[in-house]
Amino acid sequence: MSGIRKIGVFTSGGDAPGMNACIRAVVRTAVFMGIEVVGIRKGYQGMLDSDFWDMDARSVGNIIHLGGTILKTARCLEFKTDEGTEKAYNNLKSKGIDALVAIGGDGTARGAERLSSRFDIPIMCIPGTIDNDLYGSDFTLGFDTATNTVIEAIDKIRDTAASHNRLFFVEVMGRDSGCIALRSGIAGGAEAVLLPERETAIDELIEKLSLDARNKKTSSIVIVAEGDKSGGAYQLAKRVTEKFDFYDVKVTILGHLQRGGSPSSFDRVLASRLGFAAVKGLIVGNSRQMVGLRGNSVVMTPLGEALNFTHFKLEEDLMEMVSVLSI
Ligand code: F6P
């Protein structure tokens, strides 16, 4: 047993639905195991500011259904300096924190690896980002909820596209990952999905849209991942319209609404499983691990390994399905 007496928990980077459910699981698992818990507000910035919150089981009551993070989050450049990292560590030690659970994306995990490789403090990372771009877990916290949010928007756009015989380009988040675009494109019945992971062939897209028009499709929806290399939905719509003017073309950028909302049941259960496992992992002496879901099992991946690989390749069958199921 590790002898850990006080765990710090924090959220960092872009917020994601499910972070609160995860905080809840971390706090309550620790309290159940007789370990004190300190919430660190605003991620690594809170470590530098000693912005600490002594938490108990009641601190996380009635939050499982809330989007966002009650611990707030931030991006922190100072922490990336040697002085900043040392200052953070010293503040943690002054508070008596002897282990950490970090909930966030790639930057959060890199910060955790930095801290735990330089100083003697065990840390477990939980993949909390809507982008679903972390190696070590089939799904990251918030991805399912964000995809559901996009699908709700696509369904609304489909109503007006069908009423006006319009072509809509819908831009979604995901940073350099096409995961949100691909799954929401399938579930939303999009005619095409443009992904950072694949070269955008404008002529191929126009040929597809032209064929649809010849086959009496009176409206269309094209999902554009924000990381797509074509320059974004507005630029893409401009380039398509120059060569293909059959449809009246509109553009919708979904933006930050994809980051909010009450977490789905999948994300609530995932958050609870990973938070529970992260604390149990610390108790038995694990450290510097990415806690994730593989198939339907919780697994631990060494941070060094998780950070050296990009997320798994997008599913070939899903990419093939887009053009087949949208004929
Ligand atoms: O990483 C999550 C994410 O929502 C990305 O999909 C998006 O590109 C980015 O954060 C936006 O960052 P910010 O909230 O700082 O504008």
Side-chain angles (χ1 to χ4, degrees), residues 56-85:
D56 60 21
R58 298 284 65 77
S59 307
V60 290
N62 294 316
I63 69 167
I64 193 168
H65 63 300
L66 298 180
T69 163
I70 61 170
L71 288 177
K72 306 289 184 187
T73 181
R75 295 186 164 96
C76 179
L77 294 179
E78 184 188 352
F79 175 78
K80 294 181 179 177
T81 65
D82 290 344
E83 299 75 18
T85 310

Side-chain angles (χ1 to χ4, degrees), residues 230-299:
S230 61
Y234 279 108
Q235 181 62 20
L236 187 71
K238 180 174 178 292
R239 291 171 64 189
V240 167
T241 312
E242 287 164 355
K243 296 185 176 181
F244 173 67
D245 59 1
F246 176 82
Y247 294 112
D248 178 16
V249 174
K250 297 293 180 183
V251 175
T252 299
I253 310 287
L254 294 184
H256 283 70
L257 64 83
Q258 297 163 87
R259 288 257 288 275
S262 179
S264 64
S265 62
F266 179 85
D267 274 332
R268 296 184 198 192
V269 174
L270 179 63
S272 301
R273 287 182 84 174
L274 300 188
F276 176 74
V279 173
K280 290 185 68 181
L282 285 171
I283 289 171
V284 297
N286 287 338
S287 178
R288 297 169 70 180
Q289 302 287 320
M290 178 72 76
V291 187
L293 192 69
R294 280 254 190 263
N296 191 27
S297 300
V298 175
V299 297

Side-chain angles (χ1 to χ4, degrees), residues 153-185:
I154 291 173
D155 290 350
K156 290 177 170 66
I157 289 169
R158 177 178 298 285
D159 290 342
T160 185
S163 302
H164 288 265
N165 292 358
R166 282 174 166 165
L167 162 59
F168 272 81
F169 289 89
V170 180
E171 185 174 301
V172 300
M173 280 187 164
R175 203 180 293 275
D176 299 327
S177 161
C179 287
I180 293 176
L182 182 54
R183 265 182 162 74
S184 61

